[in-house]
Amino acid sequence: MRTQPWAHGEATVKILARFIHQSMAKFAANQAAIIQVNPQTDLPIKAWKSMKQQQKVIKKRLVDDPDSPIPEGHLRFVCLSDTHSRIENNVLKVPPGDVLIHAGDFTMLGLPKDIDKFNKYLGTLPHKVKVVIAGNHDLTFDQDMLKNEREDMTFRFGVTEENFEAYMIENKLADVKELMTNCVYLEDASVNIHGINVYGSPWQPAFGGWGFNLPRGQMLLDKWNMIPSDTDILVTHGPPIGHGDYCFDGQRAGCVELLSTIQQRVKPKYHVFGHIHEGYGITSDGYTTYINASTCTLRYQPNNPAVIFDFPLPEGCTKDEALDLYVKPAVIFDIPLPEGRTKEQALDPCVKPAVKTLTKAQSNEANDDD
């Protein structure tokens, strides 16, 4: 029989009270920092020209030697992006570390056979935890595009019935996400790696009619409003304005509202992204470190090395504890609402979307319930 939390004594009650207080404080701070759409959001070059006088863009270096020892009490994060099916034959040396982050565009078109190849490749890498988001080239992950632009996907991108639907039927797949078995796939969702909150989102301003495109302004801001305010490491496919977003043709691809959300509300320690291959590199605004981890160059050659950083573990936590996680990708289940409780009450905004962390014991318990 399971005991109630309060049966464990005064210490547990104090911990619960502190947790509730912290949650309410975070929610209040979240509500206080309401981001407005920038009047020049549709003119990113002009917007950045107006903003940059009050901005710091400091070029930065992180871990230069991938073979250097990891500092005690830290996890090593290894960041890739925009690999475009170019690294599965081991043409790129991926440095060892504790956590791998891939910020999207792991394929060219999101064809299932390429996703499967990428997933198998992930399974060969030594990192204990692998976190992946989709990018604009991973077309078949965009459910809205599949539903509403299927003919266009065939005509413009060559996603045919033979190389998509037929493959899915043959392999008894309902969704390409089912192929991502060797990682935690995030789509507007978080994973907590023993106290380190990582949030992933695939969206970016409309760019060439590819996947996960949204108009600049309120529609993108609605996505950024979903980012929890206690995010430590933010992973998006697209860059914010002014950091790693300058294109070879002189345009800026970054999102104004993404930068505003990062600087005014979320304030993560790290923001990892890709999308603009020629923007590869690391900058800082004095607080957040921005990492354009694009592996491929402008000519789609996988020449850019992985970007590495070491993140301190929460106080009192050991690396063994942090990595002793059994993290299942896309854990989905339905729970009946208690009698008299509405869905609106259950979906209180204090609750973060789709947090995907299970300990081994929790996973075993869930499997026993099956």
Side-chain angles (χ1 to χ4, degrees), residues 333-348:
F333 50 89
D334 298 321
I335 300 176
L337 288 168
E339 188 175 352
R341 189 163 174 82
T342 67
K343 184 175 285 191
E344 286 72 24
Q345 290 170 323
L347 297 176
D348 184 283

Side-chain angles (χ1 to χ4, degrees), residues 57-64 243-244 270-271 273 279-285 288-293 305-309:
V57 181
I58 307 159
K59 289 191 176 179
K60 193 172 180 180
R61 298 174 75 106
L62 295 177
V63 178
D64 285 330
H243 292 269
Y270 292 90
H271 178 205
F273 53 90
Y280 171 82
I282 308 161
T283 54
S284 171
D285 61 12
T288 297
T289 296
Y290 300 86
I291 299 172
N292 183 327
V307 179
I308 301 167
F309 64 89

Side-chain angles (χ1 to χ4, degrees), residues 77-84 86-88 92-96 99-106 118 121-122 125-127 130-134 235-237 271-275 280 291-296 302-309:
F77 286 77
V78 178
C79 305
L80 304 173
S81 187
D82 296 80
T83 52
H84 293 289
R86 299 290 199 273
I87 63 169
E88 286 80 353
L92 177 79
K93 181 186 176 184
V94 179
V99 182
L100 180 80
I101 291 178
H102 195 299
D105 278 6
F106 41 86
F118 173 69
Y121 170 74
L122 286 178
L125 298 178
H127 312 81
K130 295 146 190 171
V131 178
V132 178
I133 68 168
V235 186
T236 65
H237 182 59
H271 178 205
V272 183
F273 53 90
H275 189 42
Y280 171 82
I291 299 172
N292 183 327
S294 295
T295 302
C296 281
N303 295 340
N304 293 328
V307 179
I308 301 167
F309 64 89

Side-chain angles (χ1 to χ4, degrees), residues 60-350:
K60 193 172 180 180
R61 298 174 75 106
L62 295 177
V63 178
D64 285 330
D65 181 5
D67 297 319
S68 64
I70 302 172
E72 186 176 350
H74 287 67
L75 292 184
R76 176 156 290 178
F77 286 77
V78 178
C79 305
L80 304 173
S81 187
D82 296 80
T83 52
H84 293 289
S85 297
R86 299 290 199 273
I87 63 169
E88 286 80 353
N89 294 327
N90 295 308
V91 297
L92 177 79
K93 181 186 176 184
V94 179
D98 300 309
V99 182
L100 180 80
I101 291 178
H102 195 299
D105 278 6
F106 41 86
T107 68
M108 282 299 291
L109 297 171
L111 298 179
K113 66 178 180 63
D114 296 328
I115 299 166
D116 185 45
K117 187 177 180 181
F118 173 69
N119 179 67
K120 287 174 180 172
Y121 170 74
L122 286 178
T124 69
L125 298 178
H127 312 81
K128 294 286 183 69
V129 180
K130 295 146 190 171
V131 178
V132 178
I133 68 168
N136 60 305
H137 275 258
D138 306 314
L139 297 170
T140 59
F141 285 79
D142 187 336
Q143 293 300 306
D144 183 67
M145 196 172 192
L146 277 174
K147 182 179 178 181
N148 300 311
E149 301 177 45
R150 186 64 191 85
E151 289 185 11
D152 193 51
M153 289 173 71
T154 297
F155 179 74
R156 293 184 60 222
F157 301 111
V159 180
T160 65
E161 185 174 348
E162 289 75 19
N163 61 28
F164 180 60
E165 281 88 355
Y167 185 102
M168 299 288 283
I169 292 168
E170 182 181 349
N171 291 276
K172 299 178 182 178
L173 297 168
D175 191 313
V176 290
K177 298 182 185 73
E178 295 173 30
L179 291 165
M180 305 292 277
T181 59
N182 290 322
C183 67
V184 179
Y185 173 75
L186 297 179
E187 190 173 308
D188 300 319
S190 293
V191 63
N192 182 289
I193 305 172
H194 207 85
I196 301 171
N197 294 318
V198 182
Y199 184 89
S201 181
W203 305 94
Q204 67 268 298
F207 192 88
W210 291 77
F212 295 106
N213 277 199
L214 287 174
R216 292 178 179 273
Q218 190 61 52
M219 289 185 72
L220 273 170
L221 180 55
D222 289 344
K223 295 296 185 184
W224 310 143
N225 283 339
M226 296 170 65
I227 304 169
S229 58
D230 60 353
T231 297
D232 298 302
I233 300 170
L234 175 63
V235 186
T236 65
H237 182 59
I241 192 77
H243 292 269
D245 72 324
Y246 190 74
C247 303
F248 73 95
D249 60 359
Q251 299 298 312
R252 284 199 175 273
C255 178
V256 178
E257 282 65 48
L258 180 55
L259 184 66
S260 297
T261 298
I262 288 168
Q263 292 183 334
Q264 297 175 35
R265 182 175 67 79
V266 180
K267 300 178 183 178
K269 291 292 186 183
Y270 292 90
H271 178 205
V272 183
F273 53 90
H275 189 42
I276 304 305
H277 297 189
E278 59 270 42
Y280 171 82
I282 308 161
T283 54
S284 171
D285 61 12
Y287 184 84
T288 297
T289 296
Y290 300 86
I291 299 172
N292 183 327
S294 295
T295 302
C296 281
T297 64
L298 187 60
R299 297 183 180 274
Y300 286 83
Q301 297 303 307
N303 295 340
N304 293 328
V307 179
I308 301 167
F309 64 89
D310 296 324
F311 197 98
L313 286 163
E315 189 175 353
C317 175
T318 69
K319 182 176 287 195
D320 289 340
E321 289 173 330
L323 296 178
D324 189 22
L325 297 174
Y326 181 79
V327 187
K328 274 188 176 179
V331 177
I332 300 170
F333 50 89
D334 298 321
I335 300 176
L337 288 168
E339 188 175 352
R341 189 163 174 82
T342 67
K343 184 175 285 191
E344 286 72 24
Q345 290 170 323
L347 297 176
D348 184 283
C350 288

